[in-house]
Amino acid sequence: MTLNASGPVAIEQAALRLAAGGLVGMPTETVYGLAADAGNASAVNGIFTAKGRPSDHPLIVHIPPAEGGDWRAAVAPLAHSVPDVAVALMQAFWPGPLTLILPRRPEVAAVAAGGQDSVGVRCPVHPVAQALLKAARAHGVLGVAAPSANRFGRVSPTSAAHVAEEFADLGDDQLLILDGGVCPVGIESTIVDCSRGVPVLLRPGMLTPAQIEAACGQPLRERDATAPRASGTLESHYAPRAKVRLMEARPLQAALEVLGADAKHIAVYARARLKAAPGVAVRRMPADAAACAHELFAVLRELDATGVRLIWVETPPGDTAWDGVRDRLQRAAA
């Protein structure tokens, strides 16, 4: 069942569903999440089952905004300690598209954390997400685990319709979807590990390394073998049914010319103005990284729905503004 999230009745109904151990499709500024009470092991296991996601692949726990701006207190129910670097990043970017990995209290959110002694925490800026998190908190839900609301490894949803398509087999009693419109950011949050006292970038998003380093006053470390597992960091992820291939513009155009009318089984997403035979699906990629991120998953879904076997995508630019988009496309093509 999909509810328009513009009114308090829908928010309260969704909050009650979470408090009762049910699943909710929740809009955020990044993508839609498949939400459940992070403190309810059975409810969280329902996420893993619905998505077909391995239970050791950790989820991100979403919390409402801090009262009085005290972020250390806001995460205290989940984290037994909060490094200063984490507080600096919270103050700079929360609410917003940034997830921080923190040392987890052993008595909470073990299933959501994939059994690790750390937990990913985020405060979304989307007004519907904030309203739902506040209403759920009033019913005893301290945090909401919410990975992307899609089958594991597939393209993330950026609209309520995408969520409904992904879980069409779930009845109204199994999933309630809040329609909060199209997600403005369009790709998942940046993930920074702060659990060891220094900032380590685990997943790029729309926040650049320079922005993060300026906020925390120290350089970002690179991920190593001791880093905790984090959501959305497997080599293959975000993949449509069609095979994705990244190509530079010139070889992409040359391949289209060689194939001619035989390229009808291929769809193309590129910044360059390409010439293709009639009937070949070609979508123009925005030249701006933020605009591309906003539409990326929706375009992949749209092209995939045409039934093509291949989706050729022009390789994104190399500058850091494109890191999040490039990461998603590289994993989609893996």
Side-chain angles (χ1 to χ4, degrees):
M1 175 169 56
T2 300
L3 298 177
N4 187 311
S6 61
V9 174
I11 297 295
E12 179 65 9
Q13 189 171 343
L16 289 171
R17 180 70 68 95
L18 290 173
L23 298 178
V24 172
M26 178 180 76
T28 78
E29 70 276 18
T30 56
V31 300
Y32 272 70
L34 186 63
D37 179 357
N40 183 329
S42 176
V44 174
N45 278 323
I47 295 176
F48 288 115
T49 299
K51 284 178 61 71
R53 181 186 180 109
S55 60
D56 65 348
H57 197 52
L59 311 178
I60 294 170
V61 179
H62 297 66
I63 62 170
E67 295 184 7
D70 188 349
W71 289 111
R72 198 183 296 270
V75 300
L78 295 165
H80 64 72
S81 62
V82 186
D84 290 342
V85 64
V87 175
L89 291 174
M90 293 172 192
Q91 291 172 340
F93 300 115
W94 278 11
L98 174 68
T99 294
L100 299 176
I101 308 295
L102 303 171
R104 180 178 62 83
R105 289 189 181 276
E107 70 275 14
V108 297
V111 177
Q116 297 185 112
D117 59 5
S118 60
V119 61
V121 186
R122 182 166 96 84
C123 177
V125 74
H126 195 290
V128 174
Q130 289 196 4
L132 177 58
L133 292 168
K134 291 176 182 177
R137 176 68 62 87
H139 291 290
V141 177
L142 294 181
V144 171
S148 57
N150 55 275
R151 303 295 182 179
F152 182 65
R154 296 303 179 184
V155 180
S156 301
T158 53
S159 73
H162 294 162
V163 181
E165 291 167 5
E166 287 283 330
F167 299 106
D169 58 322
L170 297 184
D172 291 349
D173 60 329
Q174 296 173 289
L175 175 64
L176 186 155
I177 303 169
L178 280 180
D179 187 349
V182 175
C183 302
V185 174
I187 64 171
E188 296 81 359
S189 60
T190 304
I191 300 180
V192 176
D193 174 30
C194 296
S195 64
R196 295 168 291 173
V198 294
V200 180
L201 181 64
L202 301 187
R203 180 177 72 183
M206 292 313 294
L207 295 176
T208 67
Q211 288 175 304
I212 297 168
E213 290 174 343
C216 67
Q218 55 181 295
L220 274 169
R221 274 65 165 185
E222 293 186 4
R223 181 176 186 159
D224 58 24
T226 66
R229 299 186 305 277
S231 185
T233 55
L234 297 181
E235 180 181 2
S236 178
H237 216 74
Y238 315 112
R241 290 182 295 273
K243 175 65 178 176
V244 175
R245 181 181 179 187
L246 295 179
M247 305 171 67
E248 297 295 338
R250 286 188 176 181
L252 201 165
Q253 178 65 73
L256 287 173
E257 292 172 357
V258 169
L259 289 172
D262 291 333
K264 289 183 180 179
H265 65 289
I266 298 168
V268 179
Y269 186 44
R271 298 181 310 286
R273 293 186 180 275
L274 302 175
K275 296 180 180 179
V280 177
V282 179
R283 280 291 304 270
R284 193 77 184 278
M285 179 189 291
D288 175 73
C292 182
H294 172 70
E295 71 172 34
L296 176 64
F297 289 145
V299 169
L300 289 179
R301 284 175 173 272
E302 176 188 320
L303 296 177
D304 204 28
T306 65
V308 295
R309 298 197 300 273
L310 298 169
I311 300 175
W312 288 354
V313 180
E314 183 179 351
T315 304
D319 61 90
T320 58
W322 287 84
D323 283 355
V325 170
R326 191 184 316 106
D327 172 81
R328 303 312 186 272
L329 287 171
Q330 288 173 341
R331 295 182 196 279

